[in-house]
Amino acid sequence: MVGHFNSTLTNEGGIKNYKSRKCIKSMGVKEMNNNKIKIGLRPLATVFIIGTLLISTLIFPIDAEQGTVEEKAGTLYATTYYFNFMQDIREALTGIILENINLYWRGRAFGTPGEDQAAVILKDFWDLEIARDGIIPEAEYDDIEGSEFTNKIDVQSQQDYNLEIHLENDDINIPYLECFPVHTKYVSEDNPVKIHNFQNAEVLKVPEVIYSLLEIIPDVAEFEEVANYFELETTNISRNISENVEAFQEYLISLGYEDIFCEELGYYENLVGEIGEPLSTTKFIYLIEISRCRNFPIYNTMGDYCYTLIVPLLRFLFLGTAFLLADRHQDTYFMPLLVRQSLPGITINGSIGTQIKQNMEDYGDCSVTADFYLKSSYIDNVVSKNVIGTIPGEVDEIVIVGAHYDSVWCQGAADDSGSVSVVWGIAKYIADKYENITPYYTLKFAAWAGEDYGRMGSESYVSQYSDEQTFVHCINAAAFGYVNDTDITKEDTRFHVYSLGTFPEELQDLIEEIDYTQLSGGYGGVDILDDSDMVDATDAGSFRGHVLGGIFSFDKGDYSTAGHWLHRSGEEHTKGDILDIIDVTEINAAAKVVLTTVIYFATTEYVNNG
């Protein structure tokens, strides 16, 4: 049974009623009230054609014991056909970064040659496989416009960041393909270039007391307030650790927390003394370990981004000038693309972090230094575009179905070539069956650009067209269909529909009948949840306040319910979020859930009784 769903959930327009234009109204609706559709026995016997019989031919062959040879061959053909179409898209998109690694070293990142190449690929797939002469037009490029959507903070070349670690008996020069720059929040249109250049800076472990704070402050909002205390009180910052800690102690006590700094304060004062004076010229680079954050209560909410709460404390308490972020996997580095910090940073493989720690254990806490270089630039002329395909309906009002096609600096298999392949696969299926499932609403299939840089593509689209187009529903395919990177079992991994707006009971029943656990190869079932935060974390959030009906985002889940390979790369982009982590059985099961939803809303007339 689908759980965690509030049947009284409404969007801003009030309670919604639905009536089927093509597949319910003509098949025996008995009555409609209280936001429910009651269907006669004959329609139920024929099975809501859109939600079951037609959809079953897309993905899952009939049982070997059923049907004639011709029927089985036909169904298997359909299965293989759409499977291969979606797989071809995934292979084409994930292969971009490997095709020419010097040109596409940033993958399909916003405004890069790799993203532009991906747009060409997706348009070609649409025009060659989905468009139909006189019926379904070719896809169109939609240029991202507006100064607020055509800027980013980034490096402009491979020479804009560099890291060399000096151990006791070895130097580790980390190439640009094996690390990732994290920019500061102080780069802006008014301050467009910032260079951080630290030679032979001391590399130190994060004080244990900082990790202790993660353990005792479980609320993210409160921790952010605590972490930014000194940033808000910049006049209180001192180059004396004792003075900083004393002020922070008083602040924590005022919030009701105990004094947890006493034991370590003396140690760090002595450590700074060993490094030498004057402090004004001494540079400290702190090694943050993502793996240390995983056992803290706050991890379930923030996941690997827990480290962002640590950085301000390192700067304002312990005089940090930069940080290194070691991944929890030995052969990958993490890419927190949008996050800009109060300190510059470079992320590194877990294996490099392990070597640094081992050197400190063998030769002392002050035995590692680093040469750190990062040039951050504000870029205000980003060129990027969405790819939009249209399947006409009986009316001009739109149900928009989208996924983003950009990525961080990796193959971007799960995030998000997998989901955009599902969106294009659904479009192809409806195009192939157009005579049987002509939608009531016009369908806009969108491959969004720049999602990982702040939903740039979808925000630009809404900004340009919300006044002239009527959006009825928004359906978004986020990240799903990938193997877990942790010990979370398949059974404990759920597929989620995050909802803003009423999710009809009839559609819940259809999804329930899919038997997701069996068809996905043993993953947990489907949960339909009212969760605005998870909607806002995707392109679906761009449509908040711009749809008549509901907004629905499909996702494998947050850090408490799924293991994430997302935003990771390594070994020249052959590790992390790569094509091999796609679980084909699971992603095809997820595609069936999304397809059921798309066809339901495309063929069901929306009525606002609010």
Side-chain angles (χ1 to χ4, degrees):
M1 178 177 181
V2 177
H4 302 96
F5 178 74
N6 180 359
S7 61
T8 63
L9 176 66
T10 63
N11 202 359
E12 294 150 350
I15 295 177
K16 288 26 173 216
N17 288 334
Y18 297 86
K19 60 181 180 180
S20 172
R21 182 77 176 186
K22 303 287 283 183
C23 302
I24 296 179
K25 189 174 181 181
S26 63
M27 294 170 60
V29 177
K30 285 190 173 181
E31 60 179 305
M32 183 193 309
N33 58 25
N34 295 328
N35 204 35
K36 296 181 180 180
I37 299 174
K38 298 184 178 180
I39 307 174
L41 292 177
R42 183 180 60 80
L44 286 176
T46 58
V47 190
F48 183 40
I49 191 169
I50 293 200
T52 52
L53 292 180
L54 286 178
I55 294 172
S56 66
T57 64
L58 168 62
I59 295 178
F60 297 103
I62 56 178
D63 188 87
E65 300 299 322
Q66 299 176 351
T68 65
V69 172
E70 290 79 11
E71 288 172 333
K72 285 186 286 186
T75 305
L76 182 60
Y77 167 78
T79 301
T80 305
Y81 184 54
Y82 291 100
F83 277 7
N84 288 346
F85 176 72
M86 292 188 288
Q87 180 67 10
D88 287 346
I89 292 174
R90 293 193 289 268
E91 290 179 357
L93 294 180
T94 58
I96 289 173
I97 199 169
L98 302 176
E99 174 188 334
N100 185 336
I101 205 165
N102 289 321
L103 176 61
Y104 301 132
W105 54 285
R106 288 176 291 179
R108 306 189 305 274
F110 177 50
T112 65
E115 189 194 49
D116 188 66
Q117 176 68 8
V120 172
I121 288 171
L122 287 167
K123 187 178 188 314
D124 285 348
F125 268 106
W126 183 284
D127 294 349
L128 294 173
E129 300 286 346
I130 300 172
R132 304 286 187 273
D133 287 343
I135 301 174
I136 299 172
E138 293 184 346
E140 297 180 337
Y141 292 131
D142 171 66
D143 292 337
I144 295 178
E145 298 180 357
S147 59
E148 66 269 45
F149 310 122
T150 56
N151 68 82
K152 64 176 179 176
I153 310 297
D154 206 349
V155 295
Q156 300 199 71
S157 76
Q158 300 159 0
Q159 288 72 45
D160 280 355
Y161 63 107
N162 181 68
L163 178 66
E164 185 168 355
I165 306 294
H166 305 296
L167 305 179
E168 185 70 20
N169 297 313
D170 193 15
D171 291 335
I172 307 173
N173 194 308
I174 302 175
Y176 71 92
L177 289 175
E178 299 302 328
C179 60
F180 181 81
V182 183
H183 306 282
T184 72
K185 62 179 75 174
Y186 309 116
V187 183
S188 66
E189 185 175 8
D190 296 330
N191 186 27
V193 177
K194 180 69 175 176
I195 296 177
H196 305 276
N197 188 7
F198 312 130
Q199 299 299 306
N200 287 310
E202 299 290 340
V203 178
L204 304 176
K205 293 184 294 186
V206 171
E208 286 297 319
V209 69
I210 302 296
Y211 292 123
S212 298
L213 281 174
L214 284 174
E215 189 169 3
I216 68 171
I217 305 179
D219 180 74
V220 173
E222 185 169 359
F223 202 113
E224 288 177 338
E225 181 180 344
V226 169
N228 290 315
Y229 168 72
F230 271 109
E231 192 156 15
L232 298 175
E233 301 290 338
T234 53
T235 57
N236 292 338
I237 300 173
S238 169
R239 291 301 298 178
N240 185 299
I241 288 179
S242 298
E243 292 179 3
N244 290 341
V245 170
E246 183 178 353
F248 193 68
Q249 285 174 323
E250 293 177 0
Y251 174 63
L252 283 178
I253 291 171
S254 73
L255 296 178
Y257 293 105
E258 296 180 0
D259 181 356
I260 62 173
F261 279 88
C262 295
E263 293 183 7
E264 271 199 306
L265 176 55
Y267 170 76
Y268 268 83
E269 285 180 321
N270 292 334
L271 187 60
V272 170
E274 291 176 16
I275 293 172
E277 299 285 356
L279 286 177
S280 59
T281 61
T282 305
K283 306 302 181 185
F284 302 103
I285 298 177
Y286 283 96
L287 174 67
I288 304 174
E289 302 167 75
I290 291 180
S291 59
R292 291 295 308 274
C293 303
R294 294 191 63 202
N295 297 323
F296 301 132
I298 213 166
Y299 188 85
N300 285 342
T301 303
M302 295 191 69
D304 294 332
Y305 288 88
C306 278
Y307 87 90
T308 61
L309 303 177
I310 295 175
V311 175
L313 295 174
L314 295 176
R315 179 187 180 192
F316 296 113
L317 284 177
F318 294 100
L319 312 181
T321 50
F323 69 91
L324 305 179
L325 182 67
D327 196 19
R328 54 189 170 86
H329 296 292
Q330 291 296 295
D331 54 3
T332 61
Y333 54 92
F334 184 53
M335 289 174 281
L337 195 59
L338 261 185
V339 177
R340 301 206 299 273
Q341 295 284 278
S342 53
L343 292 177
I346 291 180
T347 72
I348 56 177
N349 284 4
S351 60
I352 304 297
T354 299
Q355 290 183 62
I356 293 172
K357 284 180 56 183
Q358 187 62 53
N359 196 94
M360 291 177 175
E361 291 178 9
D362 293 342
Y363 299 102
D365 290 334
C366 301
S367 61
V368 181
T369 61
D371 299 334
F372 180 108
Y373 179 80
L374 173 58
K375 179 182 178 182
S376 302
S377 299
Y378 177 86
I379 303 169
D380 62 359
N381 57 349
V382 177
V383 176
S384 183
K385 50 185 172 287
N386 303 312
V387 185
I388 308 294
T390 302
I391 295 183
E394 294 181 19
V395 298
D396 292 335
E397 286 86 356
I398 294 166
V399 171
I400 195 148
V401 185
H404 73 90
Y405 73 92
D406 66 301
S407 72
V408 297
W409 303 3
C410 63
Q411 291 187 30
D415 188 17
D416 202 23
S417 72
S419 297
V420 81
S421 77
V422 168
V423 169
W424 251 228
I426 290 171
K428 179 169 176 56
Y429 179 78
I430 295 174
D432 289 345
K433 311 291 183 183
Y434 189 75
E435 291 184 0
N436 295 322
I437 34 177
T438 303
Y440 176 63
Y441 291 113
T442 293
L443 287 166
K444 293 279 188 182
F445 291 88
W448 303 119
E451 189 269 354
D452 280 314
Y453 276 83
R455 305 189 320 213
M456 294 301 202
S458 56
E459 289 283 355
S460 170
Y461 188 86
V462 169
S463 174
Q464 291 184 67
Y465 302 112
S466 59
D467 289 339
E468 61 186 68
Q469 297 180 0
T470 300
F471 304 120
V472 183
H473 303 291
C474 173
I475 298 168
N476 181 73
F480 49 75
Y482 54 88
V483 297
N484 293 341
D485 76 333
T486 66
D487 55 2
I488 299 174
T489 65
K490 280 188 173 183
E491 294 79 5
D492 291 333
T493 305
R494 310 285 292 181
F495 185 48
H496 298 86
V497 185
Y498 296 111
S499 173
L500 284 179
T502 301
F503 201 87
E505 292 183 6
E506 295 76 26
L507 182 53
Q508 291 184 66
D509 293 341
L510 290 169
I511 290 175
E512 208 171 315
E513 291 170 7
I514 289 174
D515 194 355
Y516 184 84
T517 297
Q518 178 183 355
L519 297 180
S520 66
Y523 284 91
V526 180
D527 291 337
I528 302 172
L529 307 173
D530 172 14
D531 192 323
S532 60
D533 288 342
M534 292 299 289
V535 168
D536 289 339
T538 70
D539 284 302
S542 300
F543 287 84
R544 181 193 279 266
H546 297 284
V547 298
L548 299 176
I551 301 174
F552 311 101
S553 186
F554 294 80
D555 204 326
K556 191 162 185 175
D558 58 24
Y559 280 93
S560 64
T561 56
H564 286 257
W565 283 106
L566 280 58
H567 287 209
R568 285 182 162 83
S569 190
E571 295 187 15
E572 297 192 351
H573 302 307
T574 62
K575 299 290 185 181
D577 186 3
I578 62 175
L579 187 61
D580 288 349
I581 73 166
I582 296 295
D583 185 327
V584 175
T585 302
E586 184 191 12
I587 201 169
N588 290 332
K592 187 168 184 178
V593 175
V594 180
L595 176 61
T596 303
T597 304
V598 170
I599 296 183
Y600 181 92
F601 284 121
T603 58
T604 303
E605 186 177 354
Y606 163 78
V607 178
N608 182 3
N609 288 341

